[in-house]
Amino acid sequence: MQLRNNSQRYGWISIGLHWLVAMTVVGLFALGLWMVDLGYYDAWYRKGPDLHRSIGILLFLVMSARLLWRWISPPPATLATHQRWEVILGHLAHWALYGLLFVAMVSGYLITSADGSSVSVFNWFAVPSITGHRSGLEEIAGDIHEIAVWSLIILAGLHALAALKHHLLDRDDTLRRMLGMSLRQIP
């Protein structure tokens, strides 16, 4: 299989970025849910948020690279068997997923940096605050983060169900193309 997308299939770079982002989002969501119940004296009270923030900043970089790659290597054409409404909803869902991801990442960054502090990424580098100290920003960013993350997880679940619908009910190659599998249909 090729690295770049072509008119029929996704290339390995797009497939790898897709699944890396998907697994990272699910992992960050689970970590976030777990973190909110940690007590002050829990050993992970500080480690959990540090890990969550570091991975979130790296995810921002990966998503930026993913959008750049999408521009360099456009996705394959939708399958001819898809209904017009499926094509429209698919495009809207993909762009909504991208938008929600960036809203979640930026709001997460603002939660931490609202007091003027930088965000350390695994002690490799730090991302400075762009706002300086802003009273009340942490709460607003926190509310936006929570709404964006829950919306993202719900939409990602619908996205997964749609892929399974195409694979199991429609028996088309939508999911097979994103798994790097050989195609069933001859285009």
Side-chain angles (χ1 to χ4, degrees):
M1 178 179 278
Q2 71 285 347
L3 290 178
R4 293 179 63 123
N5 301 333
N6 63 32
S7 63
Q8 313 277 317
R9 308 178 67 122
Y10 289 97
W12 281 115
I13 293 175
S14 293
I15 292 170
L17 288 171
H18 174 272
W19 293 109
L20 174 64
V21 168
M23 290 185 297
T24 303
V25 167
V26 169
L28 284 173
F29 180 74
L31 178 59
L33 280 180
W34 179 67
M35 285 183 336
V36 296
D37 290 330
L38 293 176
Y40 182 77
Y41 295 106
D42 193 298
W44 277 88
Y45 183 76
R46 285 184 179 52
K47 290 179 196 172
D50 287 343
L51 181 63
H52 189 84
R53 286 186 291 261
S54 292
I55 293 171
I57 295 291
L58 294 178
L59 180 61
F60 182 87
L61 297 174
V62 169
M63 277 303 298
S64 298
R66 185 173 179 188
L67 283 177
L68 177 64
W69 183 250
R70 186 181 172 98
W71 182 69
I72 293 169
S73 183
T78 55
L79 298 175
T81 56
H82 289 183
Q83 300 294 318
R84 178 98 175 113
W85 65 269
E86 290 175 310
V87 173
I88 292 169
L89 280 180
H91 287 299
L92 289 174
H94 276 104
W95 287 109
L97 286 167
Y98 289 151
L100 287 168
L101 264 166
F102 279 104
V103 168
M105 292 181 291
V106 170
S107 61
Y109 160 77
L110 290 173
I111 292 168
T112 299
S113 64
D115 65 356
S117 63
S118 60
V119 179
S120 175
V121 179
F122 294 116
N123 292 322
W124 298 339
F125 62 93
V127 180
S129 174
I130 59 171
T131 62
H133 180 73
R134 295 281 185 254
S135 282
L137 179 59
E138 181 179 356
E139 291 80 20
I140 294 167
D143 290 343
I144 292 170
H145 189 71
E146 183 176 9
I147 292 166
V149 167
W150 277 102
S151 299
L152 175 63
I153 289 298
I154 291 167
L155 186 55
L158 292 172
H159 174 69
L161 287 174
L164 289 173
K165 175 247 186 215
H166 281 288
H167 188 71
L168 299 172
L169 299 178
D170 299 344
R171 302 206 40 83
D172 68 26
D173 290 326
T174 301
L175 182 59
R176 296 177 72 83
R177 295 194 307 175
M178 189 43 77
L179 292 172
M181 299 171 70
S182 60
L183 304 180
R184 287 186 250 202
Q185 301 173 359
I186 298 172

